């Protein structure tokens, strides 16, 4: 797949994110997609992180995300594409539904499209501190 086609597909896919159009986001995934957002003992309070293999597993993670967070704002900051691969830097403002705490993250996403123009690999990296704080209930008692 050439760079121009990859750019077109992914810009449209990220516009779907910005509109919170989850159906279009899901439609852009291959059946065998591998999603990876590192999860460890420090950020395990964020329930949708981890490795998910297959479209249905990623859909389940997105459903958990929709139940726990609300997207307030989504901006693409950098969009670097070469062939069927892309690196996207974005800024997101969201709110944790349970705590009503707002948080912002800047992330780097590495995406590879398959020959059908669907996302085959999606790796997501960010500093989780602000999201962990939003998900955590801190008692001052």
């Amino acid at each position: 797949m050439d760079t121009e086609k990859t750019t077109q597909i992914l810009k449209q896919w990220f516009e779907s994110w910005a509109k919170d159009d989850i159906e279009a986001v899901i439609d852009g995934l291959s059946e065998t997609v591998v999603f990876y957002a590192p999860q460890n003992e420090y950020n395990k309070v964020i329930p949708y992180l981890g490795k998910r293999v297959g479209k249905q597993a990623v859909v389940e993670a997105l459903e958990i995300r929709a139940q726990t967070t609300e997207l307030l704002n989504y901006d693409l900051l950098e969009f670097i594409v070469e062939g069927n691969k892309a690196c996207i830097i974005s800024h997101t403002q969201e709110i944790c539904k349970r705590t009503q705490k707002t948080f912002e993250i800047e992330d780097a996403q590495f995406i590879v499209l398959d020959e059908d123009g669907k996302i085959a690999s999606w790796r997501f990296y960010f500093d989780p501190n602000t999201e962990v704080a939003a998900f955590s209930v801190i008692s001052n008692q």
Side-chain angles (χ1 to χ4, degrees):
M1 181 163 303
D2 68 27
T3 298
E4 187 175 319
K5 184 68 174 169
T6 300
T7 300
Q8 176 187 3
I9 290 168
L10 289 179
K11 283 200 173 184
Q12 184 176 7
W13 191 72
F14 278 96
E15 285 175 15
S16 298
W17 269 113
K19 295 176 190 172
D20 211 16
D21 182 356
I22 298 304
E23 281 188 38
V25 170
I26 291 168
D27 188 52
L29 303 174
S30 83
E31 291 298 324
T32 58
V33 62
V34 176
F35 171 78
Y36 177 70
Q39 187 174 50
N40 58 41
E41 63 185 282
Y42 303 107
N43 68 7
K44 66 182 176 185
V45 69
I46 306 169
Y48 45 84
L49 298 182
K51 183 176 181 180
R52 313 289 178 142
V53 179
K55 189 174 190 175
Q56 186 55 43
V58 175
V59 167
E60 290 168 9
L62 294 176
E63 287 171 349
I64 293 168
R65 180 185 171 277
Q67 293 167 4
T68 58
T69 63
E70 178 184 343
L71 179 65
L72 300 175
N73 190 37
Y74 188 82
D75 294 309
L76 290 178
L77 304 177
E78 296 285 334
F79 203 88
I80 304 160
V81 179
E82 184 175 316
N84 69 330
K85 299 175 185 174
C87 173
I88 292 89
I89 309 296
S90 64
H91 175 266
T92 306
Q93 182 182 32
E94 299 178 77
I95 188 166
C96 176
K97 290 181 179 179
R98 183 175 53 82
T99 65
Q100 292 300 299
K101 291 183 183 178
T102 301
F103 61 94
E104 295 183 37
I105 60 171
E106 191 170 298
D107 59 66
Q109 299 180 55
F110 299 92
I111 296 176
V112 179
L113 298 183
D114 65 15
E115 61 278 353
D116 296 322
K118 300 289 186 178
I119 294 171
S121 175
W122 177 18
R123 294 179 291 142
F124 184 88
Y125 300 96
F126 68 105
D127 178 348
N129 287 333
T130 59
E131 191 166 358
V132 167
F135 273 77
S136 300
V137 177
I138 299 172
S139 175
N140 293 330
Q141 301 174 6

